[in-house]
Amino acid sequence: EAGLAEIYSTFEFVRGGEVVGVEAAMAAPSAARALHTATVAGSGALPTSLSVPYFGDSLSDQVLVDQVNAWADYGALEPAGAAALCAVANSAEWRDLRGRTFVALGATAELGPLALLLQCGATVVAVERGKPAKWAELVSMARASAGTLVVPLKRPASSDEEIAAAAGADLLTETPELAAWLAGALP
């Protein structure tokens, strides 16, 4: 709480040459920049095993567990991380994330969890800048998954192509609008 209080008291938000405190900016998101929501539901099945990409291949089942343990023995992976990965690999229940919601900031990050969360049936509220080609990939990925993707839009959209074209918001320049949108988009 002290850290947030410090941010609110010292940081400034600049838009259109106007400088205001973060607290004032967050309290007054622009109605003209209000974000809309699209929900992209997948129709895929839950994964039957955990699969991890590795040098162009895919590791799963006992091969994955053996590799994870080798990484831990080598020191490339903390023992607690190895134990957690092995537990997920060995438990179908842990791979069923239906009914759970995650927010992914920087949703298209290469090492981010978005793809796995969607595969496991989670609802993922994705925040990423407006990059239509990347959003088209995310929408397609979501449609093929067991999960649901919740997308911020600059304008209402219904088809996958329209969603990809209208999707996105900038975490740094649209912070107040994103905060207001997230408050309404989360269950």
Side-chain angles (χ1 to χ4, degrees), residues 43-144:
S43 59
L46 289 173
T48 57
S49 65
L50 178 64
S51 179
V52 175
Y54 184 63
F55 285 110
D57 201 2
S58 186
L59 307 178
S60 60
D61 303 316
Q62 192 59 45
V63 174
L64 173 60
V65 170
D66 292 344
Q67 183 62 58
V68 166
N69 287 327
W71 287 328
D73 291 344
Y74 178 72
L77 183 61
E78 291 290 328
L85 271 172
C86 290
V88 172
N90 290 319
S91 172
E93 182 180 330
W94 283 29
R95 291 188 304 275
D96 183 353
L97 298 177
R98 292 175 294 188
R100 298 188 185 260
T101 301
F102 297 83
V103 176
L105 303 177
T108 61
E110 288 296 321
L111 295 177
L114 181 110
L116 181 60
L117 293 171
L118 287 171
Q119 288 170 8
C120 292
T123 295
V124 181
V125 180
V127 176
E128 182 60 68
R129 289 177 291 161
K131 299 183 269 185
K134 283 287 190 181
W135 279 107
E137 290 175 24
L138 289 181
V139 168
S140 177
M141 178 192 308
R143 290 279 185 223

